[in-house]
Amino acid sequence: MVSISTLTGAKRQDIKNVLLLLQEFVVTYKDNKVKINYQSRPVVLFLATLYATAGFGIYFTLRNLLTKYNEYLLNKKINRPALIRQSSTILKNGSREIFISKGNNKVSRIIIPKPNLDQYAADKYLYKNFYINQQIIQQSSKGIIFNSKFLNQLSIIWGILIPKFYCKNTSLLLSQCFFLILRTWLSLLVAKLDGQIVKNLIAANGKKFSRDLIYWLLIAFPASYTNAAIKYLDNRLSLGFRTNLTRYIHDMYLDKVMSYYKVSLNTGDPNGFLENIDQYITEDISKFCNSLSGLFSSMGKPFIDLIFFSVYLRDNLGTGAIIGIFTNYFITAVLLKRATPPFGKLSSQRTHLEGQYFNKQLNLMNNCEEIGFYKGSLIEKTKLNHTFKNLMNHVNKEINISFNYGVIEDYVLKYTWSAWGYIFAGLPVFLDEIWPKQEKDTINKEAQKVDERKNMRQFIINKRLMLSLADAGSRLMYSIKDVNQLTGHTDRVFNLLTQLHKVHSPRYDFGSKYGYGDIHGTIQNNFSDGIRFENFPVIIPNVNGGESTPLFKEISIHIKQGKNLLILGPNGCGKTSISRIVAGLWPFYRGLLSKPNDDDMFYLPQKTYFTTGNLRDQIIYPYTYNDMLEMGYNDDYLYHILREVKLEYLLKREGNFNVVKDWKDVFSGGEKQRMSIARVLFKHPKYVILDESTNAVSTDVEDYLFELLQTKGINFITMSHRPLLMKYHDFVLEIKDDRSWEFQDLTSEENLKSIDKEIKEIETKLAQVEVWEKRKQDIELFLDGKYNDINEESSIDMGVELYRREGRTSMSS
C-alpha cells in the first residue's frame, strides 16, 4: 500500500480534487434522489394487484386441497370397483349421482340436477306467443338500431342462459362489468400520467420524469391484469352460456319423447324443417354464445368510456364541446345505420351454406364404399363442386360488401372522428392565444412558461382522452356490425328452440301451424292382455296432419298375450309405419292403442344400428357396461348369448369383447341381423317387433331364430312380405294393394281344417308324380318318332286327363 505522505505535491493535489468531486456527486445525488410516494394511486394499485393475485392463488390452492381431501374420503367410503363407480344413481330428489374415474383409483362425484319438465311445458308458450305476434313485432322494429324482434328473442333465450340471479353466470357477468369499469378508470389515470410525463420532459425535470416513469411501469401491471381478466371472463362467460343452452337443448332433444326423430319429419313444412340440425346444435350455439359474451366487452367498454371521459372532458372543454361531440356521434350513427349491409342475414346464409357443404362431405365419407361400387365419384364430385361454388359465391359477396362498407366506416370513425378530437382538444389552447396582447405582456415570463407547460400537459391529457373517446365511439359503431351478426345467430338458435318445443309436446301434430294440434288418439300403456288396435289409422306425418288419407283402412284387432302376429304385405304398403306409431315415433291421431309398458317392448328396425364402442357394447345396446354389471350380468353371459345366435366365432375372429372397430363395416348382413336378435335376448322383453329382421339369413338359421324366441317365451310381431313366415305365427294381418286388410287366425279350427285339406291334396298329387314322369317320357319318345306303337289320340286324351286332374283347364304347347 502506498502512503499519501510519500507522494509529490502535484499528485496529492490530484487526489484531493478527485475526492472533492466524489463528495460533490454524493451530495448532488442525495439532493436529486427520486422520491416515491407510497400512497400514490399507481403504487397502491400495484400493491393491491399483488395482494389480490396472492389471495386468489391461496384460495384456489386451498380449494384444490379440499377437493382432493373430499375425493380421498369418497374413495375410502366407497368400496366398489372403479367400473361400477362410473355408473349413475337416481337420488331421492330426482338428481343423478355420477362417479367418474380419474385414474390411480380415484373418483370424482358429480351431481346433475333433475331437469324441470314442467319448465319446458311452460316455456313452449313463450315461443308460440312470439310467433303469433311476429307480424306486430316486425312492424314495430323498423327504423331503430336494435330490432325489437331480436330483443324479444334474446330476452326469451336469456332465461336459459341465466336461469336465476344466484348462479355462476351472474357472478361472471358482474365480475366482467367490474373489470370493464376498472379498465376505464385506469385509462383515465394513464392519460393523466401521460400528460404529466410530457410536461416533465418539456420542463427537463429529470427527477419528476423518472418518478412518473416508475409510476407508469407500476400502473401497467394492474392495467395488464385487468385486460387479461376481461378476456378470461369473456371466455368463461361464453362457456357458461353454451353449457346452459346445450344442456337445455339436450334435455328436450334426447329424451323419451324422441324429439331427435320427430324434428326430422317436417320436410314438407318450410317454417318447421331444420336442415342440418347438427350444425344448429354445435356450430350455431357456439357462435351465438361467443358473439353474445363478446358483445358485453365490445359494447360495455366503449359505453363506459363515453360516460367517464365525457364527465372529465366536460370540466376541461365545457358543455358545448361535449354536446358537439355527441351530436357528431349521433349523426354518424344514423348515417352508418342506413349504410350498414344486412350482416346478420348474410351470416345466417353463410352458416346454412357451410352446413350443406359439410354434410355433402359427411355423406361422401359415410357412403364411400357404396359410391365406390357404383363408380359414382364423378357425379358426387359434381354435386360437391356445386355446393362449394354456392358457398364461395356467397363468401365472395360478403367480402365485396364488407370492403365497400369498411372504407366508409374507417374513414368516418378513425380519421374524421380523430380530426374532431384534435379540434376539441385544442380549444383551450386556441382560446388562450386570442387573449389581448397587453394582458399577456403584463404576465411574468416565468409564470408564462409555467402556463405553457400546464397548457401542454392539459392538451396532452385532452388529446389522449379525446382520441380514447373517439375510439370508444368508433368501437361502439363497429359493434353495430357485431349486433347484426348476433341477430343472425340468435334467429337460428331461437328457431331451433322453437322447433324443439313443438316436437317435444307429447301431442305434437305435424300439420298444426304452431305444432299443437287437435290429436284425439288414446294410448293405453301397461296393458296386460297383449296388444289391441281399435279404429287404428296409419297416417304419414305431413303438413295436413290428421286430415291426411290413411295408408289403408283403420285396423281393429286384438292380439292376446302369448300369441304372435305376422303383418304381411308388399313393400311400401305401410307395415313399418305401424311399428313407428306403436313406438311413439309418429303421432296417433285417433282410435285406441293398448300396449304393454315401453320397458316390456323392444323394436328391431330394418337397418341395424351399431354404436361407437367395443364388441360388448354392440350386444348390450342401448345399455352401458355399468348397467350390465348392475343387472348382475358379465362377459360369460354375453358369450352364452352369442352361442345361442351362432355368433360365438366372433370372439376368435375379433379377439375379445374389448376390441373397438367400426362394426357396421365389419359385420355381414346376416351377422348384423343375428346381432340384433342377441340384443333381444339380452333385453328379454315380453314383446319384440321385428321389421324384416331375418331376411338376410339363410332359411335354416331363420327357422332356428324364430324357434329360439319361442323357446325364450318372447312374443313377437313380424313385419314381412314373405308368406313363408306364417308357420311361426298365430295370426296374420295381410295388407292388400287396394288399401284393405284381412285378419286371419291361423290357430282356429276352420283354418286348421283348410290346412289339413290342402295337405291331403298335395299328398295326392305327390303320389302321382311317378305316373306323370312316365307319361312325360312316353310323350317325348312319341314326339321324337321313337315310340310309334302308341295311339296318338289316346295319348293326347290321357295328357288332357292328367292336366284336368291337376286342376288345369288347358294344355301348354
Side-chain angles (χ1 to χ4, degrees):
M1 181 178 292
V2 181
S3 176
I4 297 178
S5 58
T6 61
L7 297 175
T8 60
K11 291 184 178 180
R12 288 180 182 179
Q13 187 62 37
D14 291 340
I15 293 175
K16 289 180 179 180
N17 292 336
V18 171
L19 292 175
L20 290 174
L21 288 174
L22 289 174
Q23 183 178 3
E24 183 179 358
F25 176 77
V26 171
V27 172
T28 305
Y29 173 76
K30 289 181 179 180
D31 293 338
N32 296 328
K33 184 173 65 175
V34 178
K35 297 181 180 180
I36 303 298
N37 183 7
Y38 292 99
Q39 295 182 353
S40 61
R41 288 177 178 176
V43 176
V44 172
L45 287 174
F46 175 76
L47 295 177
T49 305
L50 290 180
Y51 290 145
T53 304
F56 280 118
I58 295 173
Y59 167 75
F60 285 115
T61 301
L62 292 177
R63 192 178 70 170
N64 291 334
L65 292 175
L66 182 61
T67 302
K68 292 182 179 180
Y69 178 71
N70 291 333
E71 291 179 359
Y72 168 76
L73 294 180
L74 187 64
N75 292 327
K76 189 175 180 180
K77 181 179 179 180
I78 300 176
N79 294 320
R80 293 187 297 170
L83 288 173
I84 300 182
R85 292 175 191 165
Q86 296 178 10
S87 62
S88 60
T89 304
I90 303 298
L91 303 179
K92 292 182 179 180
N93 60 0
S95 300
R96 185 176 292 273
E97 180 186 44
I98 298 179
F99 297 95
I100 299 178
S101 176
K102 300 176 65 176
N104 297 327
N105 296 325
K106 295 182 180 180
V107 296
S108 178
R109 180 173 178 262
I110 296 177
I111 301 295
I112 299 179
K114 178 184 178 182
N116 187 1
L117 300 180
D118 294 335
Q119 182 65 36
Y120 303 133
D123 287 351
K124 71 180 181 182
Y125 292 102
L126 296 175
Y127 300 88
K128 178 181 178 181
N129 295 333
F130 173 84
Y131 280 101
I132 292 177
N133 301 321
Q134 183 177 4
Q135 185 175 1
I136 300 176
I137 294 174
Q138 290 177 348
Q139 292 176 354
S140 64
S141 64
K142 295 179 180 179
I144 62 176
I145 295 178
F146 294 104
N147 194 315
S148 62
K149 175 185 176 183
F150 160 68
L151 292 179
N152 279 279
Q153 288 177 334
L154 189 59
S155 64
I156 294 175
I157 301 176
W158 190 260
I160 304 173
L161 304 178
I162 302 182
K164 56 184 179 180
F165 181 79
Y166 296 101
C167 66
K168 183 178 180 180
N169 288 345
T170 303
S171 61
L172 291 174
L173 187 58
L174 293 178
S175 300
Q176 191 178 42
C177 294
F178 168 76
F179 278 102
L180 288 174
I181 296 174
L182 179 61
R183 185 169 68 174
T184 301
W185 184 59
L186 290 174
S187 299
L188 188 61
L189 293 180
V190 170
K192 292 181 179 180
L193 190 59
D194 186 23
Q196 187 67 32
I197 291 175
V198 173
K199 173 188 171 183
N200 295 330
L201 184 63
I202 294 175
N205 192 334
K207 182 173 68 174
K208 292 184 178 180
F209 175 80
S210 301
R211 179 200 63 189
D212 292 338
L213 194 60
I214 293 174
Y215 287 161
W216 179 277
L217 296 176
L218 291 178
I219 203 173
F221 184 72
S224 302
Y225 186 89
T226 302
N227 292 331
I230 291 175
K231 294 179 181 178
Y232 170 79
L233 292 171
D234 188 9
N235 295 329
R236 296 291 298 181
L237 188 63
S238 174
L239 181 61
F241 285 165
R242 185 176 182 181
T243 300
N244 286 358
L245 189 57
T246 303
R247 286 181 176 176
Y248 185 91
I249 290 174
H250 282 180
D251 287 340
M252 288 193 300
Y253 188 62
L254 295 167
D255 64 352
K256 293 183 178 181
V257 183
M258 293 175 287
S259 302
Y260 57 88
Y261 174 81
K262 296 178 180 179
V263 77
S264 63
L265 296 178
N266 284 351
T267 53
D269 185 4
N271 297 321
F273 178 60
L274 296 178
E275 186 178 0
N276 306 327
I277 189 173
D278 54 335
Q279 186 182 22
Y280 279 84
I281 297 177
T282 55
E283 187 174 353
D284 285 325
I285 289 180
S286 176
K287 289 182 178 179
F288 167 75
C289 295
N290 291 335
S291 180
L292 181 60
S293 62
L295 192 65
F296 287 106
S297 58
S298 64
M299 292 191 66
K301 174 61 169 63
F303 183 76
I304 296 173
D305 287 350
L306 288 175
I307 296 176
F308 273 71
F309 296 157
S310 298
V311 172
Y312 184 83
L313 288 172
R314 176 182 170 275
D315 298 333
N316 297 332
L317 304 179
T319 306
I322 299 301
I323 294 175
I325 291 172
F326 280 95
T327 301
N328 175 43
Y329 288 170
F330 177 77
I331 295 174
T332 306
V334 173
L335 294 177
L336 288 179
K337 172 62 179 175
R338 294 183 178 180
T340 301
F343 287 111
K345 184 178 180 180
L346 293 173
S347 177
S348 179
Q349 291 176 353
R350 184 183 71 250
T351 303
H352 175 71
L353 293 174
E354 287 175 349
Q356 286 185 337
Y357 179 66
F358 172 79
N359 278 273
K360 289 291 184 182
Q361 296 281 5
L362 186 63
N363 175 72
L364 184 63
M365 291 187 293
N366 292 338
N367 303 286
C368 57
E369 182 177 338
E370 291 80 2
I371 294 173
F373 276 123
Y374 284 115
K375 307 298 182 183
S377 57
L378 183 59
I379 188 173
E380 295 298 328
K381 176 183 176 182
T382 303
K383 294 179 179 179
L384 200 60
N385 286 340
H386 177 71
T387 307
F388 181 74
K389 181 181 178 181
N390 291 338
L391 175 60
M392 290 301 101
N393 289 338
H394 181 80
V395 173
N396 184 56
K397 177 182 176 182
E398 272 193 288
I399 293 174
N400 293 336
I401 293 176
S402 300
F403 171 76
N404 297 329
Y405 177 75
V407 172
I408 301 174
E409 189 179 47
D410 284 352
Y411 178 78
V412 173
L413 300 183
K414 286 187 177 181
Y415 301 102
T416 304
W417 283 17
S418 298
W420 281 104
Y422 279 111
I423 292 174
F424 286 112
L427 284 178
V429 179
F430 295 134
L431 292 176
D432 183 65
E433 288 293 333
I434 63 176
W435 285 354
K437 189 175 185 305
Q438 61 274 16
E439 185 178 353
K440 285 188 178 183
D441 293 338
T442 60
I443 301 177
N444 185 279
K445 292 184 178 181
E446 187 66 28
Q448 186 175 357
K449 291 181 180 180
V450 173
D451 289 340
E452 289 178 356
R453 296 194 197 104
K454 288 183 178 179
N455 288 338
M456 179 60 67
R457 173 180 178 273
Q458 195 60 44
F459 173 76
I460 294 298
I461 296 175
N462 292 342
K463 172 201 167 186
R464 188 179 183 94
L465 292 181
M466 283 297 303
L467 293 178
S468 299
L469 192 66
D471 180 68
S474 63
R475 282 188 283 118
L476 201 60
M477 294 298 104
Y478 282 132
S479 63
I480 295 178
K481 181 168 62 177
D482 298 333
V483 172
N484 288 332
Q485 292 180 347
L486 178 61
T487 303
H489 299 322
T490 305
D491 189 65
R492 285 179 65 87
V493 172
F494 190 84
N495 187 28
L496 169 65
L497 292 169
T498 302
Q499 302 308 323
L500 288 180
H501 273 289
K502 280 185 181 181
V503 299
H504 190 261
S505 175
R507 304 185 67 83
Y508 170 63
D509 183 3
F510 293 86
S512 175
K513 182 177 181 181
Y514 300 107
Y516 315 109
D518 189 16
I519 300 177
H520 298 288
T522 301
I523 299 178
Q524 179 186 3
N525 292 307
N526 301 317
F527 187 62
S528 59
D529 192 16
I531 297 179
R532 179 174 58 187
F533 302 94
E534 291 186 7
N535 300 322
F536 181 89
V538 178
I539 299 176
I540 300 177
N542 57 69
V543 293
N544 297 321
E547 302 299 326
S548 302
T549 303
L551 294 179
F552 42 83
K553 296 180 181 179
E554 297 178 352
I555 302 173
S556 295
I557 60 175
H558 183 195
I559 309 300
K560 293 187 176 182
Q561 179 72 24
K563 301 296 182 179
N564 303 317
L565 172 66
L566 173 63
I567 300 179
L568 193 63
N571 294 329
C573 68
K575 302 186 297 297
T576 304
S577 303
I578 297 176
S579 64
R580 289 169 179 163
I581 296 176
V582 175
L585 299 179
W586 284 8
F588 183 50
Y589 288 102
R590 53 184 179 268
L592 172 65
L593 169 62
S594 302
K595 63 177 184 176
N597 190 292
D598 287 338
D599 293 334
D600 295 329
M601 298 192 69
F602 200 70
Y603 302 87
L604 295 185
Q606 291 185 9
K607 184 179 179 181
T608 306
Y609 170 73
F610 291 96
T611 183
T612 302
N614 53 37
L615 180 60
R616 180 190 302 107
D617 296 331
Q618 313 314 312
I619 304 173
I620 65 177
Y621 187 83
Y623 298 99
T624 64
Y625 182 43
N626 306 316
D627 297 331
M628 185 190 81
L629 295 178
E630 291 182 350
M631 294 165 65
Y633 300 141
N634 53 27
D635 289 347
D636 293 337
Y637 179 68
L638 298 185
Y639 177 74
H640 176 71
I641 290 178
L642 290 180
R643 286 188 60 187
E644 288 190 312
V645 296
K646 300 185 181 301
L647 287 177
E648 68 276 8
Y649 62 86
L650 290 178
L651 289 177
K652 295 181 179 179
R653 189 181 76 184
E654 306 300 337
N656 53 55
F657 282 113
N658 295 318
V659 63
V660 177
K661 290 185 178 181
D662 191 0
W663 298 104
K664 65 181 179 64
D665 297 328
V666 173
F667 295 144
S668 64
E671 289 175 338
K672 291 178 181 178
Q673 292 190 340
R674 280 183 282 169
M675 185 61 71
S676 64
I677 299 297
R679 293 175 179 176
V680 176
L681 299 181
F682 179 81
K683 167 76 173 178
H684 204 281
K686 291 182 180 179
Y687 271 92
V688 59
I689 295 182
L690 310 171
D691 192 355
E692 302 284 358
S693 299
T694 58
N695 57 358
V697 299
S698 59
T699 305
D700 57 334
V701 175
E702 185 178 54
D703 292 340
Y704 171 77
L705 293 178
F706 276 105
E707 291 175 359
L708 180 63
L709 292 177
Q710 290 175 339
T711 304
K712 296 293 183 180
I714 300 175
N715 302 319
F716 45 86
I717 298 176
T718 306
M719 318 285 181
S720 180
H721 62 278
R722 296 185 295 160
L724 291 175
L725 299 182
M726 286 185 184
K727 57 184 177 181
Y728 309 116
H729 300 81
D730 303 301
F731 300 95
V732 175
L733 175 64
E734 184 178 1
I735 302 174
K736 300 183 179 180
D737 293 334
D738 59 352
R739 297 199 308 173
S740 63
W741 55 270
E742 181 181 356
F743 182 72
Q744 297 182 22
D745 184 0
L746 299 179
T747 62
S748 64
E749 294 184 2
E750 182 179 353
N751 279 320
L752 290 176
K753 289 180 180 179
S754 63
I755 292 174
D756 291 339
K757 183 179 179 181
E758 186 176 356
I759 291 175
K760 291 181 180 179
E761 290 179 355
I762 294 175
E763 290 176 348
T764 303
K765 292 178 180 180
L766 291 175
Q768 298 177 355
V769 170
E770 294 182 358
V771 178
W772 291 346
E773 288 290 341
K774 186 177 184 305
R775 191 57 193 164
K776 176 185 175 183
Q777 294 177 1
D778 293 343
I779 293 175
E780 289 177 351
L781 293 173
F782 174 77
L783 293 175
D784 293 338
K786 299 180 181 179
Y787 195 14
N788 296 325
D789 296 338
I790 188 172
N791 186 286
E792 180 179 353
E793 184 177 354
S794 62
S795 175
I796 295 175
D797 292 341
M798 185 176 294
V800 172
E801 182 63 22
L802 289 175
Y803 276 97
R804 284 179 179 175
R805 290 180 182 179
E806 194 177 0
R808 303 184 184 181
T809 57
S810 62
M811 292 177 59
S812 63
S813 60

